[in-house]
Amino acid sequence: MAKLTFWGAAQEVTGSCHLLETDGLRILLDCGMHQGGKQAERRNGEPFPFDPRHLDAVVLSHGHLDHSGLLPRLFKSGYKGPVYCTEATRNLLAIMLEDAASLHLRDVEWENRRRRRAGKPEIQPWYDMEDVLHVLEHCVGVPYHETRTINGHVQLYFYDACHIIGSAIVELRIDEKGGHKKLVFSGDLGNPDAVLMKDPEFVTDADVVLMEGTYGDRDHRTMDNTLEELGDALEQASRDKGNVLIPAFAVGRTQEMLFHLGVLYKQGRVPQQKVFLDSPMGIEVTRLYTEYMDLLDPEDLKQVSAKLGDDPKSYLPMLTLTEDSEDSMAINRIKDGVIIIAGSGMCNGGRIRHHLKHNIWRSECHIVFPGFQARGTLGRQIVEGDKHVKIFGADFMVRAKVHTLGGFSAHAGQSQLLEWASHFKPPTRFYLVHGEPDALAVLQQKLQVKLGIAAEIPAEGTSIVF
Ligand code: ZN
């Protein structure tokens, strides 16, 4: 008998974490961070609901922090075993966990300075760089489509989820005294319409499927108009004699934007003189994407370059990478004719805020939002049309023109989720995770009506046996 307990991303979209127990073996699927506001993030400092010292293995679906971000804390809390993931995920983790750790340590240092002045006791960081190194040392790279045995009786196999570079659908084949069982965990499923990534692979049999439902309640807008919208914004900005700012996530969205700009450039539709990628993390991740060209969609790549294996400068010659903060600050003096891609994607941190400070109040400038803007972020205020915003504590009037590009998402939409689920041969038990309750409820109903699948939506901390 195998037991699966849902410890995170149960009726929510972050904190992915599920525990499989079988014949004395304990395997953790993902160890994600809670994200979305102070209250959610406070949970990241709480003790784990299981003893990390008693785990035998961790299997990681992909590098996004809501799936991987608590791994350093897991090691700090005594875990010493392997972390199975793809090699690309391991390399992505090196970038993302280090970045997250330095932000966390900076926040703690800031808070302690305040506390020292107030005569209050200092707080301890939840983990440090050493714990990040432990995670990386314990990563075991598993290629797609190869079987690895975990402690004798569980076999691990990765399919390509095509969500971000290195992302995997996890299959665990369990040999127990009572027979064989198969668990499939979708991880985050990619959007087949997205550029650069291929289409998520289908799996055809399982006893239990743990499936994500982030967009269980809707389909995405089609990609067709997105390139047109972007091209129009660039032309308009050029006529207006202003800059174009593009707030973008470092993983995925930044590389997609470079690709789209490359396509437009090839069509002679980029009038700007320079494109700055002003994001150290975005630059590192872009390098990683070019290292793993074979994981990307060859049909898409053909649109920008006849030859595979090229770096983005080969299809976007005016691209300038700015890693140093001095180079970044020098961009502030340019008033016209450039495109600036910078993070964070929702403008709640990062270098984009400096560029907003210099451009948002100028009516000749344009801001292009390619990503989702969560409630409570500066990006959300801007796309919702707020006329006055605060940046670094100062008031700014929003005079720049704001464009929101539809079409982009790294997640499968509703129809694509149903398509993925339809490939499993019954009987298969479905459990929906990684989605807001409303989205999961709609997906649950669609699965029932369209495919006759009675999926369940587990609550946090509940278990199933199979
Ligand atoms: Zn993800």
Side-chain angles (χ1 to χ4, degrees), residues 62 64 66-67 163 188 411:
H62 66 289
H64 272 151
D66 61 324
H67 294 256
H163 164 63
D188 285 357
H411 283 270

